[in-house]
């Protein structure tokens, strides 16, 4: 049965929350992220090929360690959203949202009547029908999060319309694609990109919608906190693991060279 969404609860209480993108298709990795102390994980199916059974197992691993599991779907597609939620995800992250129509669509696809049109199912989130499915529908509408990602100039220009949609629970920005949209690919710290991100953040905060920052450097945290940001995605586990592996190897290579000298 669907439990309390601890990520959503903490945000309501004004607490800071920290998460990671998960791009390695393994329940063990999700379990490690939870045991390391993170509040939430975003399982990435936009840039990563993961079969549905593995996604479901990754969500189970998150549940086992009280980690809130969100799924980033490939696009604003009702079928992809439905399968992620029926697998037990506590929310969906949808990339490349650029209009109020798209925002309204993903809310309807994620929620049951009367807020939406999500297809009815008695699978694992509803305890396979063990408990009242009508009660599950109501609980799911309360607990599941709908999170658009703004990743283009068009999305930034229409952010006021997007955040006006009832049922949006958090807003994120993909600065890599955003930088490309503004003609400065991979220059995520370019002033035009930074200005766009601040615009999105300000619009979300004004509507009392949590903004989730993705800081690239530790010294960005003070600025985000001054903007009343409470949610943070601290990179993805692939990058963290890769840098840790490099540092581990370099430490031993450096030590060996010193001893040889």
């Amino acid at each position: 049965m669907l439990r309390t969404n601890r990520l959503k609860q903490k945000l309501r209480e004004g607490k800071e929350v920290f998460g990671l993108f998960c791009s390695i298709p393994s329940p063990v990795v999700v379990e490690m992220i939870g045991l390391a102390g993170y509040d939430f994980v975003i399982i990435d199916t936009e840039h990563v090929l993961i079969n549905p059974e593995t996604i479901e197992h990754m969500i189970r691993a998150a549940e086992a360690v009280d980690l809130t599991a969100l799924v980033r779907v490939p696009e604003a597609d009702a079928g992809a959203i439905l399968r992620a939620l029926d697998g037990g995800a506590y929310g969906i992250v949808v990339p490349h949202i650029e209009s109020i129509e798209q925002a309204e669509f993903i809310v309807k696809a994620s929620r049951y009547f009367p807020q939406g049109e999500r297809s009815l199912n008695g699978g694992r989130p509803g305890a396979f029908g063990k408990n009242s499915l009508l009660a599950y529908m109501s609980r799911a509408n309360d607990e599941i999060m709908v999170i658009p990602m703004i990743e283009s100039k068009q999305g930034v220009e229409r952010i006021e319309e997007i955040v006006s949609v009832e049922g949006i629970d958090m807003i994120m920005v993909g600065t890599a694609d955003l930088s490309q949209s503004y003609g400065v690919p991979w220059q995520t710290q370019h002033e035009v990109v930074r200005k766009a991100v601040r615009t999105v953040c300000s619009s979300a905060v004004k509507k009392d919608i949590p903004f989730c920052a993705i800081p690239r450097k530790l010294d960005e945290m003070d600025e985000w906190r001054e903007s009343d940001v409470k949610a943070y995605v601290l990179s993805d586990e692939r990058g963290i693991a890769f840098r840790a592996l490099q540092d581990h190897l370099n430490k031993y290579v450096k030590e060996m060279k010193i001893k040889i000298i």
Side-chain angles (χ1 to χ4, degrees):
M1 186 69 177
L2 191 68
R3 307 173 188 172
T4 298
N5 186 329
R6 295 181 66 220
L7 169 61
K8 198 169 187 178
Q9 182 182 43
K10 287 183 177 181
L11 287 171
R12 284 172 177 163
E13 294 170 354
K15 296 178 180 178
E16 289 185 331
V17 291
F18 301 92
L20 285 178
F21 277 110
C22 183
S23 302
I24 300 173
S26 168
V28 173
V29 173
V30 172
E31 191 174 17
M32 289 172 63
I33 291 170
L35 291 173
Y38 290 88
D39 298 290
F40 66 102
V41 64
I42 303 175
I43 300 168
D44 188 14
T45 67
E46 180 191 11
H47 292 287
V48 183
L49 294 172
I50 311 179
N51 67 57
E53 293 84 359
T54 299
I55 296 171
E56 193 168 288
H57 289 322
M58 292 169 78
I59 293 169
R60 283 194 180 98
E63 291 171 347
V65 291
D66 291 326
L67 178 70
T68 300
L70 312 175
V71 172
R72 177 162 70 173
V73 295
E75 58 190 342
D77 175 78
I81 292 170
L82 175 66
R83 288 187 291 274
L85 295 179
D86 280 358
Y90 280 74
I92 49 107
V93 177
V94 187
H96 305 291
I97 296 301
E98 298 182 332
S99 69
I100 187 172
E101 291 81 10
Q102 284 182 310
E104 290 173 340
F105 173 81
I106 65 174
V107 169
K108 287 183 179 179
S110 302
R111 299 222 161 86
Y112 294 115
F113 178 88
Q115 289 97 329
E117 302 170 351
R118 176 182 168 188
S119 179
L120 299 173
N121 180 269
R124 68 177 304 268
F128 303 102
K130 177 182 178 180
N131 303 312
S132 166
L133 292 178
L134 285 174
Y136 163 71
M137 289 172 59
S138 176
R139 186 167 176 80
N141 281 352
D142 289 338
E143 301 294 345
I144 284 169
M145 300 180 72
V146 180
I147 306 166
M149 283 194 80
I150 308 302
E151 303 188 83
S152 68
K153 182 179 179 181
Q154 291 85 349
V156 175
E157 291 172 347
R158 298 167 185 162
I159 188 59
E160 292 290 339
E161 297 177 10
I162 292 170
V163 296
S164 72
V165 174
E166 186 175 352
I168 298 298
D169 296 292
M170 191 160 70
I171 295 285
M172 299 180 68
V173 173
T175 54
D177 283 340
L178 189 62
S179 69
Q180 181 167 242
S181 179
Y182 278 97
V184 287
W186 281 120
Q187 297 180 53
T188 57
Q189 295 299 312
H190 193 287
E191 182 53 35
V192 68
V193 178
R194 288 170 57 85
K195 182 180 178 181
V197 174
R198 288 194 294 268
T199 296
V200 174
C201 177
S202 176
S203 296
V205 171
K206 281 191 297 184
K207 282 287 186 178
D208 202 27
I209 297 174
F211 177 81
C212 184
I214 309 178
R216 303 275 177 170
K217 298 180 295 183
L218 187 60
D219 59 11
E220 292 179 27
M221 295 298 291
D222 289 341
E223 180 181 348
W224 285 124
R225 282 175 164 167
E226 289 173 4
S227 299
D228 201 29
V229 171
K230 302 294 184 182
Y232 303 92
V233 169
L234 306 180
S235 187
D236 76 295
E237 93 291 30
R238 287 185 308 186
I240 293 170
F242 179 75
R243 290 188 292 273
L245 289 168
Q246 275 191 321
D247 291 343
H248 187 67
L249 174 62
N250 291 338
K251 179 177 67 177
Y252 280 87
V253 170
K254 182 179 179 180
E255 182 68 20
M256 289 170 66
K257 287 181 178 178
I258 290 172
K259 287 184 178 179
I260 291 173
I261 293 172

